[in-house]
Amino acid sequence: MDVIHDLSLWRNRRAGPEFAGRTVGFVPTMGALHRGHVALLERARRENDAVVLSIFVNPTQFNDQQDLANYPRTLAGDLALAEGLADWVLVPTANDMYPDAYRYRVTETALSLEYEGAHRPGHFDGVLTVVLKLLNLVAPHRAYFGEKDWQQLQLVRAMAADFFLPVEIVACPTVRDDDGLALSSRNRRLSPKARAQAAAFPRILREASDAQTAARRLAEAGFSVDYVADHEGSRLAAIRIEGVRLIDHVRL
Ligand code: PAF
């Protein structure tokens, strides 16, 4: 596994003989890898000749600077977990990714303003911009995204179609702990008590008859509810517990 920090070096590699005639699967991440990411890498491994992983804590998608500061950074552990699954790991710097200081950006003007976007202004501009940059750099045949971040997945897929990007966006099922909580890099910030309590989040989302009932029951269970919404056969929600923000998505 080759770990590359330098984007010029990476671009030379990508254009070189190592990639010639090989299909490339790409898993973009912000690190703090867990079994959910491993499932994305395994699928990319099965479906492509070569697998590229990126690890980049993207500053432009954080509307809350404290959240950015608290985001776990665990590069050594991430590389150990990716060994044998990824062939190349791209770990760029923020200066290299944003040579224009974020003057150019991708803005979607409808779905990105709802739900998650309504609570995190500018979040999806940051996500779409960095994903477009990464897709241009990696030039994969397939890129893998988890369904937990349902809104992100829809927006990335539509961007790829609208901008005629030659990539297949592959949706992968959410990986959950035994008690049903979706795996997330943020779960590790929960105390054992809050982690046990968090199991009620997906259960209530699945069981409630409508979004309003789910929101009420989540509040009764002690969560601070950002939103619960039913949208095109999916239920999306974000809650906070101990100041940690968790999101989830279940199919109705
Ligand atoms: O889902 C994530 O981890 C991030 O939003 C992504 C897609 C890597 C962009 O920074």
Side-chain angles (χ1 to χ4, degrees), residues 114-134:
E114 293 184 63
Y115 317 130
E116 198 61 10
H119 288 267
R120 302 183 68 188
H123 168 66
F124 286 117
D125 287 8
V127 170
L128 293 175
T129 303
V130 83
V131 169
L132 180 61
K133 285 170 183 265
L134 290 167

Side-chain angles (χ1 to χ4, degrees), residues 28-30 37 56 58 61 71 127 130-131 134 145 149 152:
T29 77
M30 297 205 297
H37 297 112
F56 177 61
N58 174 34
Q61 69 188 74
Y71 203 84
V127 170
V130 83
V131 169
L134 290 167
F145 291 83
D149 297 292
Q152 166 173 284

Side-chain angles (χ1 to χ4, degrees), residues 217-229:
R217 287 191 51 200
L218 286 165
E220 285 165 3
F223 301 112
S224 157
V225 181
D226 272 3
Y227 65 88
V228 182

